[in-house]
Amino acid sequence: MMKTIVYIFLAIFLLGCANTDNNTEAIHRIKSGNFRVFKNIMIQARNHQKDKPIAYFFTKEINKKKFLLPNLSLFNCKLNDSTCFKKHTNKKFDIDGFIKASNIKNNNDVYQYTHNFIKEVITEYEKTGVQKIISNSDIGNCIIFYLNEKYFLAYVPEISNVYNVFWKNSFNDKNKIDKYWYSGSIPATSNHKQ
């Protein structure tokens, strides 16, 4: 009986260490990447392929308006072909609204700019290996990375610009890992409205 208890505690300890190592690796990947591209982005993996998160679409917020944009690598559609997207998915992508809100000056480059922006967000997201990223005006000026369903990493330039009470309380000295970065656990019954 005592051996069983010792083995159970040992297994729990080893799993905890492995989880910490995975979080440390994820934190390093995120901090060394172009994480600022996720400002005002909401993106979540719907499945994984070869340990890479796959998101079919994401939302970009500009001036408090949210634009749904497709992961172009998953659809064989031209960016300005809404009929093609409609055939592949029931989502309504607002590419033209995004282009207008982005204030791109040269009309010849609008679709190329949008294509490059979408590609950059998706590429950086896949590099992070995280489940979900949230950043929007409802939460405030921060980018929150869900390392998994239990742990988060957040880039917070200024806590006073975070409006969501749950997240503001999460960004405390206990969870601070360096100047603008916080990491901690997400309570199972938390109210961290997105």
Side-chain angles (χ1 to χ4, degrees):
M1 175 71 170
M2 186 61 152
K3 270 186 173 179
T4 305
I5 292 172
V6 170
Y7 286 131
I8 289 172
F9 281 115
L10 182 61
I12 291 170
F13 174 76
L14 291 175
L15 285 173
C17 289
N19 194 29
T20 301
D21 289 343
N22 288 341
N23 287 348
T24 303
E25 289 172 24
I27 290 168
H28 177 72
R29 270 194 319 271
I30 292 165
K31 288 175 69 175
S32 64
N34 183 13
F35 64 87
R36 286 181 177 87
V37 74
F38 299 116
K39 183 168 175 42
N40 295 321
I41 296 279
M42 292 183 62
I43 187 168
Q44 182 172 0
R46 297 299 179 197
N47 62 38
H48 288 76
Q49 288 179 349
K50 298 179 185 171
D51 293 330
K52 183 171 72 171
I54 304 298
Y56 293 94
F57 52 85
F58 65 94
T59 303
K60 169 67 174 172
E61 182 180 23
I62 301 173
N63 298 323
K64 297 194 177 197
K65 184 165 172 36
K66 295 177 177 143
F67 300 95
L68 190 64
L69 300 172
N71 179 345
L72 297 172
S73 68
L74 299 178
F75 305 103
N76 190 21
C77 300
K78 291 185 178 180
L79 196 54
N80 59 352
D81 188 353
S82 59
T83 307
C84 180
F85 286 116
K86 193 177 280 187
K87 186 172 87 174
H88 291 288
T89 179
N90 62 356
K91 300 287 183 190
K92 178 159 177 24
F93 300 113
D94 193 1
I95 294 163
D96 291 328
F98 169 79
I99 289 170
K100 185 176 179 184
S102 296
N103 289 323
I104 303 165
K105 302 297 182 213
N106 185 343
N107 261 356
N108 297 329
D109 297 335
V110 294
Y111 286 108
Q112 189 61 49
Y113 168 86
T114 304
H115 181 272
N116 292 345
F117 173 77
I118 291 170
K119 185 177 179 179
E120 181 180 22
V121 170
I122 294 298
T123 300
E124 287 298 320
Y125 175 67
E126 290 173 351
K127 287 180 193 175
T128 67
V130 301
Q131 186 65 31
K132 176 169 48 171
I133 300 170
I134 57 173
S135 175
N136 63 43
S137 60
D138 295 333
I139 295 171
N141 186 19
C142 61
I143 303 169
I144 302 163
F145 302 86
Y146 283 69
L147 302 177
N148 54 43
E149 62 278 347
K150 294 181 182 178
Y151 297 99
F152 74 87
L153 172 70
Y155 172 73
V156 186
E158 179 59 53
I159 292 178
S160 63
N161 293 329
V162 175
Y163 311 117
N164 180 284
V165 175
F166 169 81
W167 287 114
K168 191 170 210 158
N169 291 336
S170 296
F171 306 146
N172 57 46
D173 287 340
K174 181 182 89 167
N175 290 333
K176 191 168 193 167
I177 58 176
D178 67 28
K179 189 172 182 179
Y180 301 117
W181 292 91
Y182 297 82
S183 183
S185 60
I186 303 169
T189 58
S190 65
N191 183 18
H192 54 281
K193 182 181 176 187
Q194 304 172 30

